[in-house]
Amino acid sequence: MDRTLTAVIGRLRRDERGGVLVVLGVALPALLMAAGVVIDYGTLSEQRTAFQAVADGSALAAAREFRLANATPTGVQLAAEKFASTQLKTLDKTGTIAATVDLRKMTVTVEVTNVARTNIMHMFGSDNVTVSARATARVLGTSSICVIGLETKKKETIHLEMNAKLEALECAVYSNSSQPHGLAAKQNSQVRARFICSAGGVYKDKFDSFQPSPTLDCPILTDPLASRPPPSIGGCSANALSITKSTILSPGTYCGGIRISKGAVVTLNPGVYVFKDGPLDVSGGATLKGANVGLYFNGKGSVLRFEADTKIDLTAPQSGVLAGILFYEDRTSPANQIHRILSNDAKVLLGTLYLPQGELNIGANKPVAAESAYTIVVARRFTLSAGPTMVLNAKYSSTNIPVPEGVGPGSTAAHLAK
């Protein structure tokens, strides 16, 4: 009886091993197929990653060709194709390169494609797989950048109303706002520039509010001066200084700010002036002038106010920590403080007006900065109201005041589109 049971169990075990072999025989093609897919997927994924790097790099490189005065669509296209071809050879890859140029949108699109033979999947009917990558780079025109509105989330980062005019005929105006009305010209206002770009949309109430028509959905620009260190803050040279008679001031830290009025003529000696927790307020027919001066605003209430009946004549430092920067607002100052230029005699504001936390409001009745060799605005918001004209010249070679890196000449930048 025991020997019979043992024999039966032995036969069952032999049958079980046979069953396993049958199952393995049926499953083997599927297992091989899965393994082949994994291996081929890794190879194809690596190739696509390489193609994407080639497409990105060649699109950006070709877009930068728009900076050249003699750039043509054909020349830009050839530059893209040559760059991509060189990169493929460097990576020991083969592929078909197609580049297209949209001169109106200032974009270059590069696509790299290859039909790859699979290593294992071809045994199961998938002989060839198309691998491709595509990139589009956009450039902000062929001009220098002279206005950047840094605010990204709120509307009207750059806003004009009531017959206001912004003249930037030799440079570009750029709004970072992604909102539909991120760039707005209302009530017969107008922006004229070499190039106009908005990360979002625009609002206008007449057909020629913007000349030329803005390019929309531009990539957001990072603050080009974000790495520029602020000047140091020393001990208080004065506290809540009020000036009513003509005088000459020296660089220093003015705690509580300075108020100039009653027709006083104040001359600033060259250097850096720190306004700590108080304004630079010029009113009552007073005059403020200074060559090679940098004005640094730090803290709550530290803003500039130039009233309508004042005369302002200021140029930025030629060297030092604020070289090329006329106004510098500290990045830790309260957000959305308003700096107002209402002066009807502010013909010279030579340099960069850097107000990363605040709003620069122009409300004069006469042209502002019109006699400056150059003026650049980088502000959280930039607004013009009640009919002013702000003139942003770009005659960089006519002055010895340097232009900060990231704005002005050579600031035209190529970005991969979203």
Side-chain angles (χ1 to χ4, degrees), residues 37-173:
V37 168
V38 171
I39 294 171
D40 281 334
Y41 178 80
T43 301
L44 297 173
S45 179
E46 183 274 333
Q47 188 173 52
R48 187 187 182 286
T49 299
F51 281 5
Q52 191 64 59
V54 171
D56 290 348
S58 55
L60 286 169
R64 296 187 186 105
E65 294 292 310
F66 281 120
R67 292 181 178 182
L68 304 177
N70 60 349
T72 64
T74 300
V76 174
Q77 178 183 351
L78 291 175
E81 293 172 350
K82 182 177 180 180
F83 186 94
S85 178
T86 300
Q87 290 301 301
L88 285 176
K89 288 180 181 178
T90 301
L91 296 171
D92 195 25
K93 304 287 185 183
T94 59
T96 301
I97 302 163
T100 56
V101 177
D102 188 325
L103 196 58
R104 185 181 66 82
K105 294 183 178 179
M106 302 294 281
T107 60
V108 182
T109 299
V110 177
E111 187 168 13
V112 183
T113 306
N114 186 39
V115 178
R117 180 172 174 78
T118 59
N119 295 314
I120 296 175
M121 289 167 60
H122 70 273
M123 294 188 300
F124 303 97
S126 298
D127 291 337
N128 300 311
V129 176
T130 300
V131 181
S132 66
R134 177 187 177 95
T136 298
R138 173 178 285 154
V139 72
L140 305 181
T142 56
S143 58
S144 306
I145 299 175
C146 58
V147 176
I148 302 176
L150 296 172
E151 174 62 59
T152 60
K153 297 180 180 179
K154 297 180 181 179
K155 66 179 182 179
E156 299 175 350
T157 288
I158 298 176
H159 175 75
L160 291 80
E161 63 183 7
M162 298 176 64
N163 301 303
K165 290 181 172 58
L166 178 59
E167 301 281 341
L169 301 180
E170 302 171 55
C171 51
V173 173

